[in-house]
Amino acid sequence: MDVFDDLVGQEQAATVLRRAAAAAAEVLAGGRGAGMTHAWLFTGPPGSGRFDAAKAFAAALLCPDRGCGHCDACHQVMIGSHPDLESVRPQGLSYGVKQTRELILRAAGRSTMGRWRVVLFDDADRATEQAANALLKAIEEPPPRTVWLLCAPAPDDMIITIRSRCRVVTLVTPSSQAVAHALVTRDNVAPGVAESVARAAQGDLARARRLALDESARGRREAVLSIPKSLTNVGECIAAAEKLVKTADEDAAAATAELNETEIAELRAIYGEGSTGKGLNKGLVRGGAGALKELETAQKSRATRIKRESLDTALLDLMAFYRDVLAVQFGAPVELANGDRRAELEAAARASRPEETLKRTQAIMQCRERLAANVNPQIAVEALTLALWKPVG
């Protein structure tokens, strides 16, 4: 057993990373270490575990035993406390050049433990153009024994000059069987439930775990899947859109409210709120006004990202529903994400033609593109529900 055994359904990637870890150990011993490089790009669809794979590789680089999974170094990497690991997960919609330059400065430090200095950058595709150019310079001329591990959905999400300097590790969507097995063995989920949520999550282990363990997540999914049969007139379409957007707003508020308050309280404390002494409190708080405004901007960006992710999850559930309808219409022998709703799928299949189902899936993809382009969510989702009711074009 090692850290790579925990990568669900990624046997091929695990083999590549084990060999790279062996090459890294050879470099530390003074050898050539063919197969080891200073920049890596982990790509894969949502739920494939690209961040987990990169973290496992970081553990293998920093562990004296190539990622044994049980030593102090592996444990520190997994909880994010290893002194030679710099882990970044952007909270907002983008990652700016100022943040990137600060990250590069931190990455330039020497290794504390005498092995590697590892920078793990999740969602590196969120780097702005200026940030990406700054990152490129750091990757082109890295300090000795500094390793960059970048994560992005696809190689094309990174500028070509960055991806050409990285070794790409491609992860795949795990099978529903692999996801179900992980839920049963790791989370003690009942086999029947594990199989159902694994199909519903379409290979996304994190989503499957939420569906298995979080009743509210299951409730939100059920509400989304009830939308197609509820769209009987314009009023119902508008109401369904309002409900989807409102739910996304509530998800964002629930996920950020407590964290926002904590961050603001900590920042005010740093700038002296509550301090005593003539002129001390007032002056320091005034000096921190710019920092407070910057924090509030970042918090709004984080809330927007969470709202978008919530809406996108709902859209993917709708996409899976209509994909299943299309499969039923053609009699395709494929696994249905919503096999437990077979009667609904067959009813929808009888009530429409395959061409209409295809137009509905295209409308969902168009809505996702509009949301990514900052179109007002209410307008984008209303257009979608109207298209799901009566597809045109």
Side-chain angles (χ1 to χ4, degrees):
M1 292 288 292
D2 61 20
V3 290
F4 300 114
D5 287 323
D6 289 333
L7 303 181
V8 177
Q10 307 296 344
E11 291 77 13
Q12 185 174 357
T15 298
V16 170
L17 295 174
R18 284 191 181 97
R19 291 173 179 168
E26 184 181 334
V27 171
L28 292 177
R32 293 181 58 189
M36 178 57 189
T37 184
H38 67 280
W40 297 74
L41 177 58
F42 291 78
T43 68
S48 59
R50 52 182 181 262
F51 180 76
D52 292 336
K55 183 183 283 189
F57 187 45
L61 293 176
L62 298 173
C63 169
D65 198 23
R66 304 178 193 173
C68 64
H70 53 75
C71 69
D72 288 343
C74 288
H75 177 69
Q76 288 174 335
V77 170
M78 292 308 168
I79 66 174
S81 65
H82 196 288
D84 290 327
L85 174 66
E86 187 71 40
S87 183
V88 176
R89 305 191 79 170
Q91 296 294 305
L93 295 172
S94 62
Y95 197 78
V97 65
K98 178 182 177 182
Q99 296 166 297
T100 302
R101 286 171 178 162
E102 292 172 351
L103 173 62
I104 292 169
L105 285 176
R106 296 196 300 271
R110 293 177 61 86
S111 168
T112 302
M113 308 300 289
R115 296 183 66 80
W116 302 94
R117 181 75 171 160
V118 181
V119 184
L120 174 50
F121 192 169
D122 193 21
D123 293 331
D125 53 301
R126 291 186 187 169
T128 63
E129 182 178 356
Q130 284 185 312
N133 289 330
L135 184 60
L136 171 63
K137 293 179 181 179
I139 290 177
E140 284 179 326
E141 301 176 2
R145 293 193 180 179
T146 293
V147 181
W148 289 83
L149 309 180
L150 311 180
C151 302
D156 289 346
D157 290 323
M158 302 299 298
I159 60 174
I160 188 170
T161 45
I162 286 183
R163 68 173 185 262
S164 66
R165 287 161 175 79
C166 296
R167 183 174 179 185
V168 178
V169 178
T170 303
L171 283 83
V172 298
T173 301
S175 67
S176 58
Q177 292 81 5
V179 172
H181 177 73
L183 292 175
V184 171
T185 56
R186 298 181 189 180
D187 301 290
N188 296 317
V189 176
V193 175
E195 292 171 5
S196 177
V197 298
R199 289 193 299 269
Q202 303 174 75
D204 186 330
L205 177 60
R207 178 91 198 285
R209 181 174 286 116
R210 285 196 299 273
L211 290 173
L213 304 177
D214 185 348
E215 186 176 349
S216 63
R218 293 194 298 273
R220 286 193 295 271
R221 179 173 179 271
E222 290 298 317
V224 169
L225 294 177
S226 69
I227 287 175
K229 64 181 180 181
S230 74
L231 303 179
T232 57
N233 54 56
V234 173
E236 291 295 339
C237 291
I238 301 302
E242 289 179 351
K243 187 175 181 180
L244 273 178
V245 175
K246 181 180 179 181
T247 299
D249 284 333
E250 291 172 349
D251 287 345
T256 60
E258 185 175 349
L259 180 58
N260 287 354
E261 290 179 5
T262 300
E263 289 175 340
I264 291 174
E266 290 176 349
L267 185 64
R268 290 185 181 279
I270 289 172
Y271 280 91
E273 184 171 83
S275 302
T276 58
K278 186 177 179 180
L280 180 60
N281 180 57
K282 184 177 179 180
L284 288 178
V285 171
R286 184 169 60 247
L292 181 59
K293 185 176 181 180
E294 185 176 331
L295 174 61
E296 290 173 344
T297 299
Q299 290 176 339
K300 289 179 181 178
S301 178
R302 179 170 60 200
T304 301
R305 177 183 60 79
I306 294 173
K307 179 178 178 177
R308 281 189 188 177
E309 289 176 350
S310 178
L311 279 173
D312 198 55
T313 296
L315 296 180
L316 290 175
D317 283 335
L318 283 173
M319 176 67 78
F321 179 86
Y322 286 110
R323 188 203 64 181
D324 286 352
V325 171
L326 197 62
V328 171
Q329 288 173 325
F330 282 109
V334 297
E335 181 180 78
L336 301 178
N338 301 282
D340 56 338
R341 308 174 79 96
R342 184 84 194 195
E344 289 182 38
L345 296 174
E346 291 178 347
R350 290 192 299 269
S352 63
R353 293 175 290 113
E355 301 94 302
E356 293 174 314
T357 305
L358 186 58
K359 288 177 182 176
R360 289 184 170 104
T361 63
Q362 291 170 341
I364 295 170
M365 292 304 298
Q366 186 177 51
C367 182
R368 295 182 71 198
E369 292 170 359
R370 287 171 174 169
L371 291 173
N374 290 321
V375 172
N376 180 284
Q378 186 67 38
I379 294 175
V381 179
E382 283 180 6
L384 169 64
T385 53
L386 288 168
L388 294 181
W389 172 41
K390 288 187 176 181
V392 295

